[in-house]
Amino acid sequence: MTEHVSNDSINFDHFNHLYKEIDFNGEKVGIVHIYSEYPDYKFEIEPKEGFTCVDDVARAIVMISKYLKEHDTNKEALRKMKLLTKFVLQMQHENGYFNNFIWNDLSINTSYKTSVAELNWWSLRALWSLESAYPLVRSDKKLAIRIEKASDKLLANIKRDLPKTDLKTDLKETIEVPTWLPQKYASDQSALLILGLIKNYERTNNNDIKLLIDKLAKGIILMQKGDADNYPFGAFLSWQNLWHAWGNSQSYALLKAGQLLNDQFLIDSALKEIENFYPYLLKNGFAESFWIKINEDNSYYEVKRNQYPQIAYGLRPMIWATAEAYKYTNNKKYLNLAIDLESWLYGNNDAEEVMYDSATGICFDGIINKGEINRNSGAESTIESMLILLKMKKVRE
């Protein structure tokens, strides 16, 4: 993976710097270092977590799977993806969920809150990555069987632990929210789960998976607030009465689910957010998060906002959704919107600085205040920026 493309610029150098191969429990695996610090981009360890994690390795698998769809003869990329997949497989706990982090001594962090094997981001991202890798590695029969077994074990847990029939709503800070999603209210995690389930359905053709996608999508729909004329303009809340930019992939997931299920309502809901909320952010400034409540007249109002940090992981879900809207409709307004959102990487941002350097492949970790950048470049920012670039290169073709 040594591709360099000028202007539309995909440079794997920094990713390759973060990537390493280690002997882990008697097997050669690939990992990605989480933290890489300015100015020399040496690696750092988070003292409560570790030095690599399923979250970022899974991101890398998805990213390479996207790359391999356009470059299926790149044997080095395929080799790396297989080794990264083996790391994720090794992180599955005997309970069926996944631990997230490993320590410098290569022991698994099983106790810290962001690494416990449970129904949470890292287990859901593991599902998405394993199912994304499967079509590309299935000729390796041993690895394919390992993926099938791991995925089936995880899905048995998810089906067991998500509510089956009690599809009720709660009021959280005056906002009506569904109660049958991961973490009860997490529409952000539901979107990630849908992406993994869609890949699983493509492999298994299991109708139960379609029913689960439909149930999750209906929960996400309830988290959409406002409309074209009323704040927050069709935004999908992330959890309870909170919206945050990072990982908020609901519109992309609903577009994919709507096409799979032939459900125009899901597609139209996604387009409502894309057409109204995303331009609102472009015009009025991005945010890291905000919280809302509802007035007596059923209008919504903001009670708190965090402007920063603004990160690539906050832009990528919006860009993917907008690019998918363009792919689905062939309406160039969505392509233009995706290009406007992507321009955040190239200086159209609060810092008025380029965030992605095509000469090095470095994407800075974020804007931490107006005019102030965190110039570290860890795995999340690096891979999320590449996910943006790969998507935008494809959509322009």
Side-chain angles (χ1 to χ4, degrees):
M1 295 172 66
T2 57
E3 182 173 347
H4 298 260
V5 184
S6 60
N7 289 333
D8 63 344
S9 57
I10 302 172
N11 183 339
F12 289 93
D13 287 355
H14 191 62
F15 172 77
N16 289 333
H17 168 66
L18 298 173
Y19 174 87
K20 290 291 180 292
E21 294 171 9
I22 61 172
D23 181 54
F24 186 48
N25 295 329
E27 181 178 39
K28 187 178 183 180
V29 303
I31 61 97
V32 184
H33 283 275
I34 304 169
Y35 299 108
S36 174
E37 298 203 345
Y38 178 83
D40 50 12
Y41 295 103
K42 290 181 179 177
F43 306 131
E44 292 292 336
I45 185 170
E46 210 295 322
K48 293 179 182 177
E49 294 177 328
F51 77 97
T52 191
C53 64
V54 167
D55 261 337
D56 288 327
V57 171
R59 266 192 188 89
I61 292 167
V62 171
M63 182 270 292
I64 296 174
S65 77
K66 298 290 183 187
Y67 174 80
L68 282 169
K69 285 181 180 177
E70 307 301 320
H71 306 84
D72 57 4
T73 60
N74 190 316
K75 293 181 179 178
E76 175 63 7
L78 180 61
R79 187 186 73 85
K80 286 182 175 177
M81 189 176 74
K82 285 184 176 182
L83 293 177
L84 292 164
T85 300
K86 289 176 180 178
F87 172 78
V88 171
L89 289 166
Q90 289 245 24
M91 294 297 284
Q92 188 168 31
H93 192 275
E94 61 185 13
N95 74 5
Y97 288 118
F98 287 74
N99 293 113
N100 197 13
F101 291 90
I102 62 172
W103 299 109
N104 271 355
D105 66 2
L106 305 188
S107 63
I108 296 175
N109 182 342
T110 60
S111 58
Y112 191 63
K113 62 184 179 180
T114 56
S115 196
V116 175
E118 63 184 14
L119 178 54
N120 215 319
W121 285 102
W122 42 98
S123 291
L124 301 179
R125 198 166 274 119
L127 175 67
W128 188 28
S129 69
L130 293 175
E131 295 289 0
S132 295
Y134 184 87
L136 297 160
V137 305
R138 62 184 165 201
S139 61
D140 184 336
K141 290 194 166 46
K142 286 184 178 179
L143 185 56
I145 289 170
R146 288 175 68 184
I147 292 172
E148 290 168 11
K149 288 180 176 178
S151 184
D152 290 348
K153 190 174 183 180
L154 173 60
L155 282 171
N157 280 12
I158 291 170
K159 291 174 185 177
R160 179 195 69 209
D161 294 343
L162 287 177
K164 300 288 191 302
T165 55
D166 190 17
L167 307 186
K168 296 180 180 178
T169 60
D170 277 351
L171 288 179
K172 288 294 174 182
E173 299 294 331
T174 72
I175 302 297
E176 185 183 17
V177 293
T179 62
W180 62 88
L181 305 179
Q183 313 299 324
K184 202 171 181 179
Y185 311 114
S187 80
D188 49 8
Q189 290 190 19
S190 300
L192 176 59
L193 176 52
I194 284 173
L195 296 179
L197 292 172
I198 289 172
K199 293 289 185 184
N200 177 268
Y201 178 77
E202 290 170 355
R203 174 171 69 82
T204 65
N205 206 33
N206 182 337
N207 195 58
D208 286 346
I209 296 298
K210 285 178 80 171
L211 294 175
L212 182 53
I213 292 169
D214 181 65
K215 186 169 77 168
L216 291 164
K218 284 180 167 60
I220 291 174
I221 292 292
L222 287 175
M223 296 290 274
Q224 186 167 40
K225 307 301 178 182
D227 55 33
D229 300 314
N230 297 287
Y231 179 85
F233 307 109
F236 289 101
L237 298 178
S238 310
W239 186 77
Q240 295 191 359
N241 67 323
L242 162 68
W243 176 90
H244 56 66
W246 55 268
N248 229 46
S249 298
Q250 291 89 318
S251 281
Y252 178 69
L254 289 181
L255 283 169
K256 301 297 282 189
Q259 292 172 80
L260 175 71
L261 301 173
N262 194 26
D263 188 333
Q264 191 64 41
F265 184 62
L266 301 184
I267 293 168
D268 290 344
S269 294
L271 295 178
K272 184 195 293 186
E273 182 186 57
I274 294 164
E275 289 180 7
N276 299 293
F277 180 60
Y278 294 178
Y280 164 79
L281 289 175
L282 278 168
K283 182 179 178 180
N284 295 280
F286 291 114
E288 189 269 343
S289 55
F290 58 77
W291 290 257
I292 65 171
K293 289 187 178 181
I294 193 166
N295 287 306
E296 290 182 3
D297 64 358
N298 291 324
S299 63
Y300 297 97
Y301 66 98
E302 193 172 290
V303 292
K304 182 184 176 184
R305 171 178 287 243
N306 292 335
Q307 202 74 25
Y308 304 100
Q310 295 173 16
I311 59 177
Y313 185 27
L315 272 293
R316 193 270 302 162
M318 291 190 281
I319 291 167
W320 271 33
T322 311
E324 184 66 24
Y326 173 59
K327 179 182 173 186
Y328 174 73
T329 65
N330 203 33
N331 188 326
K332 286 205 169 179
K333 71 178 182 181
Y334 296 116
L335 174 61
N336 293 332
L337 180 56
I339 290 168
D340 286 344
L341 290 164
E342 182 196 24
S343 69
W344 181 90
L345 288 174
Y346 304 114
N348 183 19
N349 54 54
D350 283 7
E352 298 182 348
E353 286 200 43
V354 172
M355 298 296 290
Y356 172 78
D357 181 0
S358 60
T360 62
I362 287 171
C363 180
F364 296 137
D365 276 349
I367 299 170
I368 53 179
N369 222 319
K370 190 167 181 65
E372 186 178 359
I373 289 175
N374 176 352
R375 295 183 184 276
N376 299 337
S377 183
E380 180 181 285
S381 300
T382 302
I383 299 166
E384 291 288 338
S385 67
M386 295 169 78
L387 287 167
I388 291 171
L389 295 169
L390 287 166
K391 179 68 73 176
M392 291 305 294
K393 183 181 179 187
K394 176 68 175 171
V395 85
R396 284 185 171 102
E397 290 174 350

